[in-house]
Amino acid sequence: MRTTPCGHDDGSDVIVVGGGAAGLAAASAAASDGATVTLVEREGHLGGILQQCIHNGFGLHRFGEELTGPEYAARDARMVEADPSIRVLMDTSVLAVDGDDDAFDVTLVGPEVGMAHMSARSVVFACGSRERGRGAIGIAGSRPAGVYTAGSAQRLCNCDGALVGRRVVVLGSGDIGLIMARRMTWQGAHVLMVCELASEPGGLRRNIAQCLDDNSIPLHLSTTVTRVFGHDRLEAVEIADVDPRTLVPVPGTERRVECDTLLLSVGLIPENAVITATGAEIDQTTGGPAVDESLETSVPGVFVAGNELHVHDLVDFVSEEGGAAGHAAAAHALGDADRDAAPTWVRVTKGEGVGSLTPQRLRDPADEVTLRLRVRSRMTDAVISIMSGDAVVKRVRKRVVVPSEMQTVRLTPADLAPVTGDLVVSCSEREGVE
Amino acid sequence: MVDVVVIGAGIAGCAVARELMRHDLTVEVFEAGYDLACGASRTNSGIVHGGYDPEPGSAKARYNVAGARLIPSLAEELGFRYVANGSLVVALDEDDLPRVEELVDRGHANGVDHVRAISADELRSLEPNVNPAALGALLCESSGICDPFGMTVAFAENAAANGARFHFESPVEGVRHADDGQGWLVSVSGRDVHARCVVNAAGVGAMAIHDQVSADKIASRPRAGEYVLLSRDMGTTFSHTMFRVPGPAGKGVLVSPTVEGNLIVGPDAQDRTCASDTWTTPEGLAWVVDKAHDLWPGYDRRQVIVNFCGVRPSGDDGDFVIGEPDDAPGFYDIAAFDSPGLTSAPAVAADIASRVADRLGAAPNPTFDGHRERPLRFIEMDEAERTAAIAADPLFAHIVCRCEQVSEAEVLAAIHAPIPATTVTGVKRRCRAGTGKCQGGFCEPLVAEIISRECGIPLEDVRLEGPGSEVAPWAIGEVR
Amino acid sequence: MSDVERREFTCVRCPMGCSLTVSLDDGVVTDVTGNGCPRGHAYGEHEATHPERVVTSLVRVAGDFRPVSVKTVSPVPKECVADVLAAVAATTVEPPVSIGDVLVPDVCGTGVDVVATRASA
């Protein structure tokens, strides 16, 4: 690793913003293609949120074994740190990315570089996501200690060795909430319940089984927290049934649950402040930028991967996506002679049953395409259909699909050969299909 | 014996303490809460009102107009944030138009500068996002917005720099005449502090303290106002502070940019029983949001980052209670100090301080220095300033709060300030770490770690706010 | 007449989370259905007869408030999870710690080691 102080214009072919799973993979991939890379990480460690995910279950697809988060991060971090063409800047924040195409001016600040500008030919954003908090979901009441996002409590516990409470209610059955319900139980706290606004769980089914069922923690569906009580420390929450159709609390069903901790696991939002300022178009359904099949945004030379693109459930796919973005960024930086500068675009749009989808457009013709999507509702015996006009591009059968689990569909050049216009991706139960 | 005891470290108490330090006096400030501005001073609209609203001839009218004139130069001198953004009182139906004229007249009667009625067209050119049904408005160019917490800190730190002493978590239990008839005994933390004069600036608690020393009771009640705060992405929706004309249906809510670039919406008005009843209600918040639509049909609930509630002392006759009760010489009230208390505080403070100084025959303080440096903020600096700041203190190069770009240097400045912030919320209020979109989701543990390190206390003892509000009260292994 | 039983599980071998139905006859697995792969079959059989879990937790490090994270290198019997957690919680280690260091050998007599999954300087 080069550690020379940064001059005003000490550039790289590729600058990767964020040293979590996506950013580490992007940096390694770009470097393996011959690009010089600067990886900018705002915290004091590599691996991002993986460092606080001390549970196992990471890496089954990628490594064929179940690792914990820190172990998974360490594998990628070692590769990045050992790569002479990757420079890592820790505790360093990217404030702005200006310019376009292959002449980017990245403004950053950190202990090693001070206040600095660095040029790059392409930029990969891999800033992850942030948690929705109490204000965003409008819970009323007082403002005592004891109300945390699940991720904050996870960091305090798993990184700082501090336990936030002993009688815990979890709102939201997202994966972090389920994992934290088990963690708190295993550290000796009493987790009274997990409440979920929706009529089905928000997290992976394995986490419902392993985290809640194993520990006899009740899951209350169609239930939410409407109010918090307590002056200095949380004393109780008010929960209420929710109309499954309108998601509005049902008057008269309010009841008080005495607790000292409320953990919120009510959704993640792509962290897109800096990338938005580059002018990259944002997709309102994913919350992240709109991209093409190479994960390039509407700003040429700006790529994005991982939870900043759309919120994933499996780190293995985050790494895969980071790698893809890294390769594409390197190709852009090093001058991809084959690439059409003014391609014909095929739009990819959401059809029936599909809630969110990436990429939002493809080159025509495109190479391999990885579609990632979330369905709107649970379906059994489902078929994901990719249509181009009346032509079937691909159909994939799934025994069950749920909104909490991202679906991946790969399209080969052969699949895409009959494409004559925009693609529509839909998902429905098999009745009526063939 | 202390010359002056000030009860309460909100905006009124801190402003009085600072003004008292112009004189050769010893001043002790006792605050029940854990920090400055624990009550209404931190949970209000942050509006520097022009002064066209209060009843002509009232204490509110007098102090409001005087305070509004003092604040711009005080903001420079004391380094707190103030923006002269002006305010608009919007007429939404025909009945509102005569009320606009009445308010303009009232403004003139109160001596408000730069207040006039404007047409619907002028309104729309000033504020394109206002309800298109608006028929006109009152425009007051001499009103503004400020950072109410920062303003309180500025007064307090300058008072402390000039010798005032502050005591926190020190609730005043009682005030009575000294046995020898000379001055007052103030019971606090199990001891009596003998003071020649007392300034009662205890916010909602001021009425109970007043009633201990005077037969002339103050009729008032705690009144809550609920707010929602929207992200900085929305701060440019309006440039002026937007009110609607108060009508038979009540006052309506205001929608205003804040000095930090957020957009604030509120308040409602609900009766509460005590100062600590600072909870929001689903109904109250729904009402606030509903009323916001009157002014701003484009209200975007997805941009809400936090809701909060402030409780203020509301006098039954609608006016402040300022000065010495007839039967309690040397005891000075700043009571029933609800809106426009923030705007009025500098004028009230100057008035009370000079009366106290006269009573005590105090000489001027020859070493008084009224200037306070405005704390540096990374987010507000240009690149040259950032480079210079980092050269002077490398911790400016470490961003702790990503949403608001707050550096570690700013966190340390808050922790080691003249009146130190030793809580997560105390740090947050001073330097904004944790006030952005993620509301501390990322930086709250980091700030807690820094407080633990800097104050030499275990992480489990780091508090969010007052006693009992530890962020993470147990170490792993303790519970099992 | 033999004691026939059907039990439902959610397979946790991978994120698919297949819903398994395991048929037992006198405590002996006769059939597993609902699994999407052979691993699911094995899981169902295992879960119905002798369930096991990998335990992940935290071990305190002397002189540092930051703990190291740990795991059992292989699954331990489900009924031992509470004891394993207690044994881990009672442990304090001296730094430095590297990933893979054995911090509690043969935890609770299970024959399984508890190892560090995060380093501590």
Side-chain angles (χ1 to χ4, degrees):
Chain A
M1 185 175 66
R2 285 179 292 149
T3 53
T4 49
C6 176
H8 187 75
D9 210 7
D10 182 7
S12 296
D13 294 326
V14 177
I15 289 179
V16 178
V17 188
L24 289 168
S28 284
S32 72
D33 291 345
T36 58
V37 178
T38 298
L39 174 65
V40 187
E41 165 54 46
R42 62 179 137 211
E43 294 216 47
H45 60 258
L46 290 174
I49 221 75
L50 284 167
Q51 293 294 355
Q52 67 188 52
C53 298
I54 65 165
H55 54 284
N56 68 321
F58 300 92
L60 201 55
H61 290 254
R62 188 162 166 226
F63 299 116
E65 57 182 309
E66 288 202 37
L67 302 173
T68 63
E71 292 172 307
Y72 186 104
R75 292 196 180 189
D76 283 336
R78 273 197 294 267
M79 275 178 66
V80 162
E81 284 165 347
D83 194 323
S85 51
I86 304 174
R87 179 186 187 191
V88 180
L89 297 175
M90 303 299 296
D91 288 312
T92 302
S93 298
V94 168
L95 303 178
V97 174
D98 298 306
D100 57 21
D101 210 0
D102 58 359
F104 291 101
D105 171 24
V106 178
T107 309
L108 27 86
V109 63
E112 194 179 319
V113 296
M115 187 69 218
H117 286 268
M118 201 177 274
S119 64
R121 299 173 73 84
S122 27
V123 179
V124 179
F125 279 89
C127 297
S129 57
R130 64 172 188 273
E131 298 177 279
R132 292 177 78 208
R134 176 183 167 183
I137 55 173
I139 302 177
S142 55
R143 302 187 56 75
V147 181
Y148 303 88
T149 58
S152 298
Q154 188 178 47
R155 179 187 170 122
L156 283 163
C157 181
N158 295 348
C159 297
D160 295 338
L163 201 61
V164 296
R166 318 171 92 137
R167 278 178 68 82
V168 184
V169 169
V170 180
L171 174 60
S173 56
D175 288 312
I176 312 172
L178 301 175
I179 294 287
M180 276 309 288
R182 178 177 62 184
R183 178 88 270 133
M184 297 291 285
T185 306
W186 280 7
Q187 296 303 142
H190 183 196
V191 179
L192 303 168
M193 63 180 74
V194 175
C195 299
E196 169 58 52
L197 180 75
S199 52
E200 52 186 286
L204 299 173
R205 278 166 288 170
R206 68 185 314 220
N207 286 333
I208 302 289
Q210 274 189 330
C211 299
L212 302 191
D213 298 349
D214 267 11
N215 295 290
S216 307
I217 299 167
L219 171 62
H220 299 302
L221 298 171
S222 296
T223 305
T224 194
V225 172
T226 45
R227 214 184 291 233
V228 304
F229 302 100
H231 189 254
D232 298 307
R233 180 129 203 119
L234 184 66
E235 289 166 8
V237 296
E238 180 187 84
I239 64 173
D241 295 346
V242 168
D243 182 321
R245 200 175 42 82
T246 61
L247 300 183
V248 171
V250 179
T253 63
E254 299 89 356
R255 58 252 188 223
R256 188 178 159 105
V257 179
E258 308 289 323
C259 59
D260 61 21
T261 305
L262 173 64
L263 296 187
L264 302 173
S265 178
V266 292
L268 300 172
I269 301 166
E271 186 75 282
N272 58 23
V274 180
I275 205 168
T276 302
T278 67
E281 180 196 331
I282 302 295
D283 178 334
Q284 294 304 323
T285 58
T286 59
V291 292
D292 65 22
E293 78 284 4
S294 70
L295 305 176
E296 191 170 22
T297 66
S298 62
V299 179
V302 172
F303 299 81
V304 60
N307 281 1
E308 185 173 2
L309 172 58
H310 50 184
V311 175
H312 288 253
D313 11 273
L314 287 185
V315 73
D316 302 63
F317 293 149
V318 169
S319 297
E320 181 190 298
E321 203 169 82
H327 286 304
H332 180 270
L334 301 175
D336 186 348
D338 298 337
R339 202 148 176 241
D340 188 349
T344 308
W345 293 108
V346 174
R347 289 198 310 147
V348 187
T349 57
K350 301 184 296 276
E352 181 197 353
V354 173
S356 65
L357 172 73
T358 61
Q360 290 84 350
R361 61 178 186 171
L362 310 177
R363 278 183 176 72
D364 183 20
D367 297 333
E368 300 279 331
V369 173
T370 302
L371 295 175
R372 298 190 198 276
L373 61 106
R374 285 183 194 277
V375 295
R376 286 186 187 280
S377 59
R378 182 188 180 88
M379 290 177 239
T380 50
D381 266 340
V383 177
I384 299 171
S385 306
I386 296 99
M387 307 288 289
S388 174
D390 293 335
V392 177
V393 175
K394 188 159 187 169
R395 274 194 175 136
V396 182
R397 290 184 187 170
K398 299 274 176 179
R399 274 186 297 125
V400 61
V401 291
V402 288
S404 59
E405 294 177 17
M406 184 181 272
Q407 302 295 325
T408 301
V409 179
R410 318 244 183 217
L411 302 178
T412 63
D415 292 331
L416 291 164
V419 171
T420 53
D422 291 352
L423 292 183
V424 178
V425 181
S426 56
C427 185
S428 55
E429 297 193 326
R430 259 176 75 194
E431 293 158 324
V433 180
E434 320 171 86
Chain B
M1 180 133 137
V2 180
D3 289 328
V4 189
V5 159
V6 177
I7 306 171
I11 185 63
C14 293
V16 163
R18 190 256 186 177
E19 293 305 309
L20 284 168
M21 298 324 293
R22 293 180 185 277
H23 309 278
D24 189 17
L25 294 168
T26 54
V27 175
E28 308 253 347
V29 183
F30 293 97
E31 166 56 45
Y34 70 97
D35 198 356
L36 300 165
C38 281
S41 302
R42 98 171 191 207
T43 46
N44 60 71
S45 316
I47 308 301
V48 177
H49 292 278
Y52 48 80
D53 194 41
E55 191 73 37
S58 64
K60 281 189 176 179
R62 185 168 79 251
Y63 287 120
N64 180 342
V65 173
R69 289 202 184 113
L70 287 171
I71 284 176
S73 57
L74 281 168
E76 286 294 313
E77 189 179 16
L78 290 171
F80 62 85
R81 282 159 188 79
Y82 165 78
V83 178
N85 68 320
S87 63
L88 289 161
V89 184
V90 178
L92 288 173
D93 56 46
E94 292 292 338
D95 295 344
D96 287 347
L97 289 171
R99 285 290 292 144
V100 167
E101 296 299 335
E102 282 170 37
L103 279 175
V104 169
D105 292 346
R106 189 182 269 205
H108 292 149
N110 287 345
V112 181
D113 310 320
H114 311 297
V115 58
R116 63 187 170 90
I118 62 169
S119 69
D121 285 346
E122 190 174 354
L123 170 62
R124 268 188 284 281
S125 72
L126 289 173
E127 297 292 354
N129 291 314
V130 73
N131 188 340
L135 301 174
L138 171 149
L139 169 64
C140 177
E141 287 168 325
S142 56
S143 69
I145 50 179
C146 72
D147 163 15
F149 186 87
M151 182 169 155
T152 308
V153 170
F155 276 115
E157 288 189 355
N158 186 243
N162 283 293
R165 294 179 57 195
F166 285 78
H167 309 269
F168 295 96
E169 293 169 29
S170 302
V172 167
E173 291 128 19
V175 179
R176 62 186 193 278
H177 284 284
D179 303 331
D180 60 2
Q182 299 296 305
W184 301 88
L185 291 176
V186 180
S187 303
V188 56
S189 306
R191 68 189 172 107
D192 282 338
V193 178
H194 193 175
R196 296 168 72 196
C197 284
V198 171
V199 177
N200 173 25
V204 173
M207 278 56 71
I209 290 170
H210 165 96
D211 289 355
Q212 291 180 11
V213 304
S214 173
D216 186 11
K217 310 300 183 197
I218 302 173
S220 79
R221 56 204 156 145
R223 182 76 68 82
E226 299 175 58
Y227 295 89
V228 294
L229 190 71
L230 282 72
S231 84
R232 281 201 284 117
D233 292 352
M234 306 309 291
T236 54
T237 307
F238 296 107
S239 61
H240 295 75
T241 299
M242 310 294 292
F243 299 88
R244 78 159 292 182
V245 170
K251 226 177 150 184
V253 302
L254 66 85
V255 179
S256 178
T258 72
V259 283
E260 312 291 1
N262 298 88
L263 199 69
I264 191 170
V265 177
D268 60 352
Q270 297 183 6
D271 287 339
R272 296 279 164 92
T273 56
C274 71
S276 60
D277 288 355
T278 53
W279 60 75
T280 56
T281 62
E283 310 77 44
L285 294 171
W287 185 88
V288 164
V289 167
D290 181 51
K291 292 294 171 193
H293 282 90
D294 290 348
L295 289 164
W296 178 30
Y299 176 86
D300 185 352
R301 70 182 169 85
R302 290 170 307 173
Q303 295 290 341
V304 173
I305 56 173
V306 68
N307 63 65
F308 65 92
C309 172
V311 175
R312 30 197 154 271
S314 215
D316 283 2
D317 71 354
D319 207 358
F320 298 152
V321 175
I322 306 291
E324 281 173 293
D326 292 340
D327 54 352
F331 178 97
Y332 297 82
D333 281 314
I334 305 177
F337 205 52
D338 60 351
S339 179
L342 177 70
T343 312
S344 305
V348 170
D351 190 8
I352 294 289
S354 73
R355 290 198 230 173
V356 171
D358 284 351
R359 167 175 284 278
L360 298 180
N365 174 1
T367 63
F368 178 78
D369 178 359
H371 179 78
R372 169 185 173 266
E373 274 307 310
R374 176 168 163 145
L376 293 173
R377 280 194 184 168
F378 183 87
I379 196 171
E380 293 175 346
M381 298 178 193
D382 65 24
E383 248 172 54
E385 290 168 333
R386 286 174 178 177
T387 302
I390 292 166
D393 181 354
L395 290 178
F396 271 108
H398 182 218
I399 302 296
V400 171
C401 167
R402 58 181 73 171
C403 302
E404 298 294 311
Q405 292 184 1
V406 180
S407 67
E408 188 170 350
E410 293 155 78
V411 173
L412 293 200
I415 293 171
H416 299 302
I419 296 173
T422 57
T423 63
V424 171
T425 301
V427 168
K428 169 179 167 175
R429 297 283 167 207
R430 284 167 178 80
C431 70
R432 288 184 62 71
T435 60
K437 280 186 179 174
C438 86
Q439 284 289 296
F442 286 112
C443 69
E444 189 175 299
L446 219 57
V447 168
E449 285 167 33
I450 295 170
I451 291 171
S452 164
R453 182 189 79 205
E454 293 296 314
C455 299
I457 54 176
L459 188 62
E460 303 92 78
D461 293 345
V462 174
R463 296 179 340 207
L464 190 67
E465 302 193 3
S469 70
E470 287 73 20
V471 169
W474 297 284
I476 56 158
E478 270 181 12
V479 176
R480 181 156 280 282
Chain C
M1 195 179 156
S2 61
D3 181 13
V4 179
E5 189 190 354
R6 282 168 169 249
R7 294 174 62 189
E8 309 281 335
F9 299 101
T10 302
C11 179
V12 302
R13 294 315 302 170
C14 83
M16 278 302 296
C18 293
S19 300
L20 308 178
T21 305
V22 179
S23 305
L24 296 111
D25 188 347
D26 245 350
V28 177
V29 173
T30 54
D31 193 24
V32 178
T33 57
N35 54 306
C37 72
R39 287 158 50 84
H41 191 283
Y43 177 81
E45 202 169 280
H46 211 70
E47 191 69 6
T49 50
H50 44 289
E52 294 181 311
R53 295 290 182 268
V54 169
V55 176
T56 60
S57 193
L58 297 158
V59 167
R60 278 171 294 182
V61 178
D64 192 346
F65 68 91
R66 286 173 291 258
V68 289
S69 53
V70 298
K71 69 176 183 184
T72 57
V73 288
S74 53
V76 297
K78 195 176 166 188
E79 68 268 20
C80 296
V81 167
D83 291 340
V84 170
L85 286 166
V88 167
T91 304
T92 301
V93 296
E94 294 291 328
V97 178
S98 302
I99 293 181
D101 285 0
V102 176
L103 303 186
V104 187
D106 182 22
V107 65
C108 300
T110 55
V112 176
D113 293 341
V114 172
V115 301
T117 57
R118 194 170 61 208
S120 174

